[in-house]
């Protein structure tokens, strides 16, 4: 059995214009239906849930989750670690495959369901490989956002064994806004990185995916440490797949990392002046998202 390893992850966020002239019109029910068989995910991993210390890396099999090491880690903060495991299993374990854990202190049973299958060996009980560490780290980063709320995103990339995440044409049309690329390693002392994929938002626009998609004025600001926003957009240092739809790797800091690419719905980018005071907007007298008198009124 490998010793437990600290998994350090904190403050991570789940853009270009729509491809062609397509502006998809689809209901949230349609999005939820697609979620059963492709890369569509609801991200909502809170920033507080992204610091894991002492998580055993001996395997995500049922045997691994029944180990004393996992039990000890989970019981340090059951509510928080339940949320964390939801996304760890979603990223690492194949679609529809469940992982179950019983809290030995309370007897409560927790069930988490896989979706993306990015770490097949770890899922089957083997110690996590470096490639699996990196692709699961990128996936976890993609599923977190600054506000810890559920926002649908389209997740694209390759598993640790090179298998693409299935993504339908309908999903690509619906999620028309390119968002970000994610790479790094949260299982070690290496950093976790994010870069804009396509255009940055203008100063009137905002999104709850703020740690992933930056405004033009905040391209180099570090709003979500230890997530490191890179100084250039993804296309400068990342390699596209053969279809040119998503990045398979990014070379940064002298390391070539497996990468997760995300897309989002156009309606989840908000504009100051649309008549709705969004959670990402602030009161004021101006028209920028952080001084949006038109939507949020003057500050008291």
């Amino acid at each position: 059995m490998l010793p437990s390893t600290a998994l350090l992850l904190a403050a991570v966020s789940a853009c270009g214009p729509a491809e062609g002239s397509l502006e998809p019109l689809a209901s949230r029910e349609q999005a939820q239906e697609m979620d059963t068989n492709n890369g569509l995910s609801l991200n909502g991993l809170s920033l507080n849930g992204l610091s894991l210390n002492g998580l055993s890396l001996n395997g995500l099999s049922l045997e691994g989750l029944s180990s004393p090491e996992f039990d000890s880690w989970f019981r340090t903060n059951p509510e928080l670690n339940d949320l964390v495991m939801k996304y760890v299993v979603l990223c690492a374990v194949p679609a529809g495959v469940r992982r179950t854990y019983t809290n030995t202190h309370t007897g409560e049973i927790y069930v988490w369901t896989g979706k993306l299958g990015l770490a097949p060996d770890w899922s089957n009980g083997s110690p996590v490989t470096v490639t699996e560490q990196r692709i699961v780290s990128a996936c976890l980063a993609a599923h977190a956002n600054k506000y810890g709320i559920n926002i649908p995103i389209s997740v694209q990339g390759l598993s640790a064994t090179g298998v693409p995440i299935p993504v339908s044409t309908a999903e690509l049309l619906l999620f028309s806004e390119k968002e970000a690329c994610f790479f790094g390693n949260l299982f070690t002392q290496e950093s976790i990185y994010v870069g804009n994929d396509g255009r940055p938002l203008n100063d009137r626009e905002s999104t709850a995916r703020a740690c992933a998609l930056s405004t033009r004025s905040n391209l180099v600001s570090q709003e979500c440490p230890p997530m490191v926003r890179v100084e250039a957009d993804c296309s400068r240092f990342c390699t596209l797949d053969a279809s040119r739809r998503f990045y398979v790797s990014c070379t940064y800091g002298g390391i070539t990392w497996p990468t997760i690419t995300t897309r989002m719905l156009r309606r989840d980018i908000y504009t100051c002046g649309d008549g709705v005071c969004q959670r990402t907007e602030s009161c004021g007298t101006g028209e920028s998202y952080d001084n949006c008198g038109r939507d949020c009124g003057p500050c008291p």
Side-chain angles (χ1 to χ4, degrees), residues 5-272:
T5 303
L7 177 55
L8 303 177
L9 173 59
V12 197
S13 104
C15 207
E19 296 181 349
S21 59
L22 294 170
E23 183 59 34
L25 298 176
S27 67
R28 202 163 287 266
E29 288 74 17
Q30 288 174 298
Q32 290 169 345
E33 181 179 352
M34 286 196 296
D35 187 36
T36 62
N37 50 20
N38 55 31
L40 176 62
S41 291
L42 287 176
N43 70 97
L45 189 54
S46 68
L47 303 185
N48 289 337
L50 295 179
S51 180
L52 306 181
N53 295 295
L55 174 62
S56 173
L57 304 183
N58 193 49
L60 280 180
S61 65
L62 297 180
E63 291 78 10
L65 296 183
S66 63
S67 69
E69 292 86 355
F70 182 84
D71 186 63
S72 176
W73 168 78
F74 190 89
R75 289 194 289 111
T76 59
N77 192 332
E79 183 176 356
L80 184 61
N81 292 338
D82 178 28
L83 178 65
V84 169
M85 287 304 299
K86 170 185 175 181
Y87 287 98
V88 169
V89 172
L90 179 149
C91 290
V93 177
V97 178
R98 294 182 176 182
R99 290 292 180 263
T100 304
Y101 158 73
T102 302
N103 188 319
T104 58
H105 182 67
T106 65
E108 185 172 359
I109 298 173
Y110 297 83
V111 180
W112 307 295
T113 303
K115 179 169 179 58
L116 301 178
L118 297 177
D121 292 336
W122 191 33
S123 298
N124 288 329
S126 298
V128 64
T129 66
V130 172
T131 301
E132 288 179 323
Q133 289 177 15
R134 291 173 173 175
I135 195 62
V136 170
S137 295
C139 182
L140 289 173
H143 281 85
N145 64 59
K146 190 173 183 179
Y147 300 93
I149 58 179
N150 286 323
I151 303 171
I153 56 172
S154 174
V155 181
Q156 300 177 59
L158 302 178
S159 75
T161 54
V163 178
I165 297 171
V167 177
S168 68
T169 301
E171 181 175 329
L172 295 176
L173 293 176
L174 178 63
F175 289 79
S176 60
E177 290 287 334
K178 295 180 180 179
E179 187 192 52
C181 57
F182 300 86
F183 54 96
N185 195 340
L186 300 160
F187 292 74
T188 65
Q189 297 301 314
E190 296 164 298
S191 297
I192 188 75
Y193 302 96
V194 61
N196 271 26
D197 183 21
R199 71 170 181 92
L201 301 180
N202 63 51
D203 288 340
R204 293 181 61 193
E205 296 174 317
S206 63
T207 175
R209 295 278 296 166
C211 293
L213 186 60
S214 176
T215 61
R216 189 175 303 279
S217 61
N218 285 340
L219 277 178
V220 296
S221 67
Q222 303 299 331
E223 298 180 79
C224 305
M227 173 68 76
V228 177
R229 180 168 293 283
V230 298
E231 66 274 10
D233 64 73
C234 305
S235 63
R236 300 285 185 90
F237 46 85
C238 299
T239 301
L240 288 166
D241 79 313
S243 70
R244 305 188 66 79
R245 289 191 293 104
F246 61 90
Y247 300 105
V248 295
S249 65
C250 296
T251 301
Y252 193 81
I255 299 174
T256 298
W257 311 89
T259 303
I260 289 294
T261 309
T262 54
R263 298 164 69 106
M264 63 187 300
L265 297 169
R266 180 63 185 87
R267 64 169 173 253
D268 287 326
I269 298 176
Y270 316 126
T271 302
C272 178

